[in-house]
Amino acid sequence: MSNPDKDNFGMSDLDSSLPAAAAALSAEDRAGLVNALKNKLQNLAGQHTDVLETLSPMVRKRVEALKEIQSQHDELEAKFFEERAALEDKYQKLYEPLYSKRYEIVNGVVEVEDQGEDKTKEDKGVPDFWLMAMKTNEILAEEISERDEETLKYLKDIKWCRIDNPKGFKLEFFFDNNPFFKNSVLTKTYHMIDDEEPILEKAIGTEIEWYPGKCLTQKVLKKKPKKGSKNVKPITKTEKCESFFNFFNPPEVPENDDDIDEDLAEELQNLMEQDYDIGSTIRDKIIPHAVSWFTGEAVQGDELDIEDDDDEDDDDNEDDDDDDEDEDEEDDEDDEEEEQAKSAKKSSGMKKGGRARVEEGQQGERPPECKQQ
């Protein structure tokens, strides 16, 4: 059964009930939400019809009522996502003046008050601010090599912004003039698939214009030619090396899925997840709480979160241990019953051929499929 009112749901239905915060979104975005909602409602109406046909008329009518309630919930959920996006944009604009003040202090553009007479004797700003903030974070510290540190001392600011077409976000890294590369800004853009949950479609990074001999993502190996070789010049070979700046050269997703076998797809998925983890850490942790990472205070908060997760895991393990103990007791009882049965067979002189039952090995869970288009 389909609801004609539900099938005719359109822009006017949404516009009439839009709050002021949600109405701030563009008409195009609102139209996209409505279309997604209509598709979802139609899918709800069309799915599992075979199940409904097996129900009695009264139960089927009750299920239809439940589906209508679900449709109303989905409409509210769409408005929630809409208002949340508007709220995030609102506060992002309120953060900007604070980020500007932070930039000025970190880079010595302005001086804080009550510095005394010795202020001219020290360096301006806060040296190595972003380098220290990033190195204090466990995820980013693994990506930063010793060779990267000198370059990251020239990092003046990090910003991020939301993008709408396609949906996603962009990170911007602002560098002072330095002896390593020409770029003043390095960017990393994440394109997301707007589905039930955010799914990374692809990431795009800036091509870094390295000065000769300064590239940190590659190293040149020179080998002497073999004795007796006509070529007297040394053989040069370029190898990729670990560096934070590999972040700006993310893994590429082949346009044709047929070109990817299962192993390669799994490896690619792991690389993309790791890359997104780095980007989201910079966006959600480093940028909004940079001074707390610089001082190390943010680490304590992270450790508390980890301890909470560990406590939950411990509780789960205790439950598993209790279940194992119960199973062991049941197994012991079964063994006793089997022994008694064997003894009874022996005493009665019965001889029956036994068939050994082989338990199939439990297959490990397969990793989630690579969600790429």
Side-chain angles (χ1 to χ4, degrees):
M1 294 177 65
S2 63
N3 189 334
D5 294 334
K6 179 173 64 180
D7 293 338
N8 294 330
F9 180 82
M11 282 296 297
S12 58
D13 300 301
L14 183 61
D15 289 341
S16 61
S17 57
L18 272 177
L25 295 179
S26 67
E28 183 180 355
D29 289 338
R30 283 159 40 200
L33 280 170
V34 171
N35 289 333
L37 182 57
K38 287 176 64 177
N39 292 335
K40 193 169 186 178
L41 292 173
Q42 291 169 359
N43 289 336
L44 284 171
Q47 289 176 350
H48 306 301
T49 53
D50 53 339
V51 175
L52 293 176
E53 291 173 357
T54 63
L55 303 176
S56 66
M58 284 304 300
V59 174
R60 188 185 309 168
K61 186 175 294 186
R62 294 170 192 145
V63 173
E64 290 290 351
L66 292 176
K67 289 174 63 178
E68 183 60 35
I69 294 173
Q70 183 65 51
S71 298
Q72 296 173 17
H73 173 278
D74 292 339
E75 293 178 23
L76 291 175
E77 188 177 42
K79 294 177 183 178
F80 161 72
F81 288 127
E82 198 173 341
E83 292 183 43
R84 185 176 69 175
L87 191 63
E88 288 177 350
D89 289 340
K90 171 187 173 181
Y91 276 90
Q92 195 64 29
K93 292 176 182 177
L94 294 176
Y95 295 147
E96 283 303 321
L98 303 179
Y99 293 154
S100 296
K101 291 180 180 179
R102 180 177 67 186
Y103 170 87
E104 292 175 347
I105 294 175
V106 166
N107 295 284
V109 177
V110 298
E111 193 58 272
V112 296
E113 297 178 357
D114 300 329
Q115 285 294 300
E117 298 180 357
D118 295 335
K119 62 182 180 181
T120 57
K121 298 180 180 179
E122 296 184 2
D123 294 333
K124 290 184 177 182
V126 184
D128 309 339
F129 178 80
W130 289 103
L131 169 61
M132 294 298 298
M134 292 169 65
K135 281 186 62 179
T136 308
N137 180 274
E138 184 178 4
I139 292 176
L140 300 182
E142 294 179 358
E143 305 299 319
I144 299 173
S145 68
E146 291 185 9
R147 299 170 68 227
D148 295 329
E149 292 186 15
E150 188 62 33
T151 311
L152 290 173
K153 290 180 180 180
Y154 292 91
L155 182 57
K156 299 192 299 181
D157 201 9
I158 310 177
K159 295 182 179 181
W160 81 276
C161 63
R162 193 186 309 277
I163 58 175
D164 293 323
N165 189 21
K167 292 187 178 295
F169 66 95
K170 180 171 71 172
L171 297 169
E172 296 178 302
F173 299 74
F174 296 85
F175 284 84
D176 203 350
N177 292 333
N178 64 82
F180 295 92
F181 50 78
K182 297 179 182 178
N183 313 66
S184 59
V185 182
L186 300 180
T187 65
K188 181 68 172 286
T189 305
Y190 290 92
H191 292 176
M192 312 300 295
I193 299 173
D194 192 22
D195 204 340
E196 294 290 335
E197 58 183 19
I199 301 173
L200 177 63
E201 181 180 15
K202 65 177 179 179
I204 304 171
T206 299
E207 182 178 352
I208 303 177
E209 301 178 56
W210 298 100
Y211 289 121
K214 297 293 185 179
C215 181
L216 297 173
T217 60
Q218 294 181 341
K219 57 183 178 181
V220 179
L221 303 177
K222 293 184 179 182
K223 294 184 179 180
K224 294 182 178 180
K226 296 180 180 179
K227 292 183 178 180
S229 175
K230 295 181 180 179
N231 187 7
V232 295
K233 294 182 178 179
I235 301 173
T236 59
K237 183 181 179 182
T238 303
E239 283 188 359
K240 187 176 180 179
C241 57
E242 294 183 0
S243 170
F244 170 77
F245 292 93
N246 286 319
F247 176 66
F248 299 98
N249 184 25
E252 295 183 3
V253 181
E255 295 182 0
N256 189 354
D257 291 344
D258 296 336
D259 297 338
I260 312 177
D261 59 27
E262 187 174 348
D263 293 337
L264 183 59
E266 183 178 349
E267 180 183 357
L268 183 59
Q269 178 181 349
N270 292 335
L271 290 173
M272 293 183 69
E273 288 177 354
Q274 181 182 1
D275 181 78
Y276 180 78
D277 199 16
I278 296 170
S280 60
T281 296
I282 294 172
R283 179 194 64 183
D284 299 334
K285 294 186 176 183
I286 302 300
I287 293 177
H289 307 291
V291 70
S292 298
W293 288 103
F294 177 81
T295 61
E297 295 169 282
V299 178
Q300 299 175 1
D302 256 23
E303 289 175 349
L304 290 175
D305 292 340
I306 294 173
E307 287 177 3
D308 290 341
D309 294 339
D310 291 342
D311 290 341
E312 292 177 3
D313 293 339
D314 291 341
D315 292 340
D316 293 339
N317 291 335
E318 289 177 4
D319 294 339
D320 292 341
D321 292 340
D322 292 340
D323 294 340
D324 291 340
E325 290 177 3
D326 294 339
E327 291 176 0
D328 291 341
E329 291 176 359
E330 293 176 0
D331 291 340
D332 292 340
E333 292 176 359
D334 293 340
D335 291 341
E336 290 178 3
E337 292 176 358
E338 288 179 4
E339 289 295 332
Q340 292 174 359
K342 288 180 181 178
S343 300
K345 288 180 181 179
K346 287 182 180 178
S347 60
S348 62
M350 294 175 64
K351 295 183 180 179
K352 293 184 179 180
R355 180 176 295 175
R357 185 179 64 178
V358 180
E359 296 287 347
E360 293 183 2
Q362 196 171 19
Q363 294 180 349
E365 294 184 3
R366 291 186 58 175
E369 294 181 2
C370 188
K371 299 178 181 178
Q372 298 146 2
Q373 292 184 348

